[in-house]
Amino acid sequence: DAGVIQSPRHEVTEMGQEVTLRCKPISGHDYLFWYRQTMMRGLELLIYFNNNVPIDDSGMPEDRFSAKMPNASFSTLKIQPSEPRDSAVYFCASGPLAGGPASTDTQYFGPGTRLTVL
Amino acid sequence: GDSVTQMEGPVTLSEEAFLTINCTYTATGYPSLFWYVQYPGEGLQLLLKATKADDKGSNKGFEATYRKETTSFHLEKGSVQVSDSAVYFCALSVRTGGFKTIFGAGTRLFVKA
């Protein structure tokens, strides 16, 4: 398996522009997570899905952020409009295995998208 | 609520030194415990895990034992290498009312040659 795939790897945009980050999870995983990582705030969970349904979006900073998972193999995180304070590395992760025991509760992270908003 | 507390970094060691990174947790259920590692420019990846009390997880010379009595999962390695320089995250997961993973703040390790 190719692992979790994220695109783009780097994104530089100007304040006010719309940004869309993409994620392809590992096939067979029930859960998909979006995280944001900054030096100041560390690793933050933004939202997670179970079987394509959003379960907990309490970490989404504000209405400018939205996430969708139209099918089991694709998810997007959108920021509209973007602001400089959104600059961070955004990670997508998937896991655990569908129907697996607790011993399989591992999250598999993608390489991240480094977002810079000027 | 559920939480993970790990020692603050950075931790700076010389090559071949002994490493300990402390991690304690609070959980209402019966969590699984994890150590993830993040190398520069990469995502987090699983280093080791333990799913029940007294289990020992091990990988690449790193070890951690699930201690229910002290609610701890300290990471150890007998002899660190420069290539171990990374950020280490302690985490727990629980399956009560769904699936949830809580990460610690991360501890940065620098190993000098």
Side-chain angles (χ1 to χ4, degrees):
Chain A
D1 201 314
V4 176
I5 299 172
Q6 291 187 248
S7 65
R9 292 295 311 275
H10 302 274
E11 177 81 28
V12 180
T13 190
E14 293 191 346
M15 183 173 63
Q17 296 299 305
E18 177 180 295
V19 174
T20 299
L21 311 181
R22 297 172 176 79
C23 175
K24 176 179 169 55
I26 293 173
S27 176
H29 283 180
D30 267 348
Y31 290 84
L32 184 139
F33 307 82
W34 282 102
Y35 292 90
R36 177 173 69 176
Q37 187 177 41
T38 62
M39 289 294 292
M40 290 296 295
R41 301 173 70 96
L43 188 68
E44 303 174 275
L45 176 65
L46 301 177
I47 185 172
Y48 78 92
F49 296 82
N50 180 22
N51 293 323
N52 314 336
V53 176
I55 302 300
D56 185 352
D57 65 355
S58 59
M60 296 285 262
E62 48 199 271
D63 291 346
R64 297 185 297 107
F65 286 69
S66 62
K68 295 182 179 180
M69 192 166 185
N71 57 62
S73 59
F74 184 66
S75 177
T76 60
L77 177 68
K78 186 176 295 187
I79 308 173
Q80 166 62 21
S82 58
E83 297 182 4
R85 59 192 168 120
D86 301 330
S87 297
V89 180
Y90 291 82
F91 289 103
C92 175
S94 71
L97 294 175
S103 60
T104 64
D105 286 353
T106 298
Q107 290 191 30
Y108 296 83
F109 282 74
T113 295
R114 182 173 294 277
L115 173 66
T116 302
V117 183
L118 303 175
Chain B
D2 301 329
S3 66
V4 173
T5 302
Q6 59 183 107
M7 64 188 285
E8 289 189 23
V11 173
T12 302
L13 296 173
S14 297
E15 209 165 21
E16 300 184 2
F18 185 85
L19 168 71
T20 298
I21 301 178
N22 291 336
C23 172
T24 57
Y25 68 91
T26 303
T28 53
Y30 298 94
S32 296
L33 301 175
F34 304 81
W35 278 100
Y36 286 81
V37 59
Q38 184 179 29
Y39 298 104
E42 299 182 10
L44 283 70
Q45 58 185 271
L46 179 69
L47 179 60
L48 54 84
K49 65 183 179 184
T51 57
K52 61 183 187 294
D54 300 325
D55 270 2
K56 176 185 285 187
S58 61
N59 185 27
K60 299 180 181 179
F62 291 88
E63 293 183 340
T65 301
Y66 190 138
R67 301 287 188 198
K68 188 176 179 183
E69 62 276 12
T70 55
T71 62
S72 65
F73 193 56
H74 304 322
L75 181 68
E76 296 182 337
K77 186 175 185 182
S79 176
V80 294
Q81 305 301 311
V82 172
S83 57
D84 294 327
S85 298
V87 181
Y88 293 81
F89 292 87
C90 185
L92 67 83
S93 70
V94 290
R95 286 199 176 199
T96 53
F99 173 76
K100 181 170 62 174
T101 299
I102 307 295
F103 285 90
T107 302
R108 185 174 296 275
L109 170 66
F110 292 105
V111 180
K112 303 179 298 184

